[in-house]
Amino acid sequence: MNTTLRITAFATSCLMAALLGVNFEAATPAAAQGAEPVSKTCRVGPRSREVPIQKTEPFKMFDNLYHVGPCYVAVYLLTTPAGHVLFDTTQEPFVDDTIANIQKVGVNLKDIKYVVLAHGHLDHVGGSKRLQEATGARLMAVEEDWKMIEALQGKVGNRDPRPNDMPKRDMVMKDGDTLKIGDQDIRFISTPGHTPGVLSAYNITLRDGSNTYKAFWGGGGGGAPGLAGAEIGAANTKRIMDIPGIQVNLLTHSWVEPNGYPGGGIHERAVLLKTRKAGDPNPFVDAATWNARAKLGYDNAAKRLAEEKAKGGAK
Ligand SMILES: [Zn+2]
C-alpha cells in the first residue's frame, strides 16, 4: 500500500471536512475519536441516514471526470468534447445538490447526453427523471432494472417522504453494448445478482495531465442465492476479473467492502488528491488493489459455488 494512504482516520476526517466542505459539525464526534473515515460514516452505520452530512462539494478526480454526488453514493460526470456522460443519479433529497454541483464545476446541464444507471435501486436511479428533464439526456439501464425503476413509481422513498417520480423506459442496454462519444469508447457489461440486471462500464478513458488510465465503474457481480445464483456469481466475477488493464475502480458508493479503497474511501482519496505534490501519481489510480479485489471477488464466488454444489443445492 502506498504509505501516503496511511493517514489516520482523525486527520483524514478533519482534512476532508475542511477541504470538501462536507457539513461535518454533525460528524465531528466520530472524527474526533478517530473512529472511522468520512466515507464510511456517511455510507454505513447510524449516522448515514442524516441528510446534512451528505452534502459534498464537487471535485475533479481526473481532467475529464468529476464527482458531483452526495457523500454516500457516487455520481460521476465524464466530460468529452462531444458531450458528457453522467453515471448514476443519487436520490431525493440530494438531487438539487447534485444538479448544483454539476453547475459548480462549470458544465452546462444540456451538454450531458447520456445518463448510465447502475441498477434499479433507488439510491442510484431516484434522481433519474429530474436529471433527464434538466439535461435532455438519454437514460441507459438494463431491461430488468427498467422493470424495477418502473415499479418504484409512486412509492415513498427511503430517505425522503415524497413519493418517487420515476422516468419512462428509455434506452434498454444489453451486455456487450458500447457507447462511442467524443474520445470515449465505453463498453458495457451486465452482471446480474445484486439486482436481476446490473450494468457496469469499462474502457472508460481518464486523463490526468499527460497520462491516461482505464477505468471500471459499477459492480455488484456477486450472484444470487442458491446454486443457480452461485453459478451466475462465479461467471460474473470471472468476467470482471478477466477485463484487462483496469487501473481505476470508480466505486458506486463512498465506501464499499470488499471492493473499496484501502485506507479510506472516495473522500479520503479526494483529500490525498487535493494535497498531492507535483509529479505524484493520482491516488485514484490503483491497479494493484483492483486486481487483488477482483481476484478475491472471484475466489469468494468460486468457493460459494463449490459449497452450493457440495450441498447438492436445488436450483
Ligand atoms: Zn443496490
Side-chain angles (χ1 to χ4, degrees):
M1 188 199 303
N2 186 327
T3 51
T4 55
L5 294 180
R6 298 179 197 272
I7 293 180
T8 67
F10 174 72
T12 307
S13 301
C14 293
L15 197 54
M16 153 72 198
L19 290 174
L20 296 183
V22 168
N23 180 347
F24 219 64
E25 275 168 322
T28 300
Q33 291 162 16
E36 63 184 13
V38 174
S39 295
K40 189 172 183 183
T41 300
C42 70
R43 168 71 170 123
V44 296
R47 319 240 18 215
S48 62
R49 311 301 295 181
E50 295 176 16
V51 170
I53 66 167
Q54 300 298 347
K55 192 170 170 61
T56 307
E57 290 298 314
F59 61 91
K60 186 184 252 196
M61 290 174 71
F62 289 85
D63 292 341
N64 58 343
L65 190 81
Y66 298 88
H67 183 288
V68 294
C71 188
Y72 74 108
V73 62
V75 180
Y76 296 108
L77 175 62
L78 178 73
T79 60
T80 93
H84 314 317
V85 184
L86 197 68
F87 292 88
D88 272 347
T89 65
T90 188
Q91 69 185 103
E92 299 292 7
F94 309 115
V95 182
D96 281 337
D97 284 337
T98 296
I99 290 172
N101 280 350
I102 294 168
Q103 292 169 320
K104 269 187 202 170
V105 302
V107 163
N108 182 347
L109 287 162
K110 299 289 182 194
D111 289 337
I112 297 174
K113 303 301 179 196
Y114 297 94
V115 177
V116 188
L117 302 171
H119 59 265
H121 285 157
L122 191 64
D123 50 340
H124 302 272
V125 302
S128 55
K129 182 169 184 183
R130 290 193 56 205
L131 278 154
Q132 185 178 42
E133 285 171 354
T135 62
R138 302 294 307 271
L139 300 177
M140 301 172 141
V142 174
E143 163 93 27
E144 291 79 0
D145 290 315
W146 274 119
K147 288 183 189 156
M148 295 180 74
I149 292 166
E150 287 160 0
L152 287 166
Q153 174 63 32
K155 302 241 169 73
V156 173
N158 57 13
R159 289 178 185 256
D160 190 290
R162 292 169 288 182
N164 304 318
D165 191 13
M166 304 310 297
K168 293 218 159 45
R169 183 179 293 224
D170 194 5
M171 291 178 74
V172 177
M173 301 298 287
K174 290 197 182 67
D175 189 273
D177 280 351
T178 63
L179 173 64
K180 289 191 173 146
I181 179 169
D183 51 356
Q184 296 288 333
D185 181 8
I186 300 169
R187 318 281 166 87
F188 293 96
I189 178 172
S190 173
T191 54
H194 182 68
T195 66
V198 182
L199 188 61
S200 297
Y202 64 98
N203 204 44
I204 300 166
T205 303
L206 300 177
R207 303 182 190 290
D208 187 63
S210 56
N211 296 312
T212 61
Y213 301 100
K214 292 294 182 189
F216 177 95
W217 165 86
L227 178 58
E231 282 171 343
I232 291 168
N236 284 343
T237 50
K238 176 148 188 8
R239 290 184 68 204
I240 290 173
M241 179 176 70
D242 287 346
I243 298 171
I246 295 171
Q247 297 154 297
V248 180
N249 180 14
L250 297 174
L251 298 178
T252 55
H253 287 278
S254 58
W255 183 269
V256 182
E257 291 296 348
N259 298 308
Y261 300 148
I266 288 175
H267 302 292
E268 287 66 45
R269 293 218 173 178
V271 172
L272 297 178
L273 179 64
K274 266 216 155 169
T275 55
R276 77 169 162 165
K277 298 191 178 64
D280 282 356
N282 185 313
F284 285 99
V285 177
D286 189 351
T289 297
W290 167 266
N291 290 331
R293 299 292 178 163
K295 183 173 183 312
L296 180 66
Y298 174 70
D299 288 348
N300 288 341
K303 188 164 159 253
R304 222 197 99 214
L305 177 57
E307 287 165 1
E308 290 288 346
K309 279 183 174 163
K311 274 198 279 183
K315 286 207 182 190

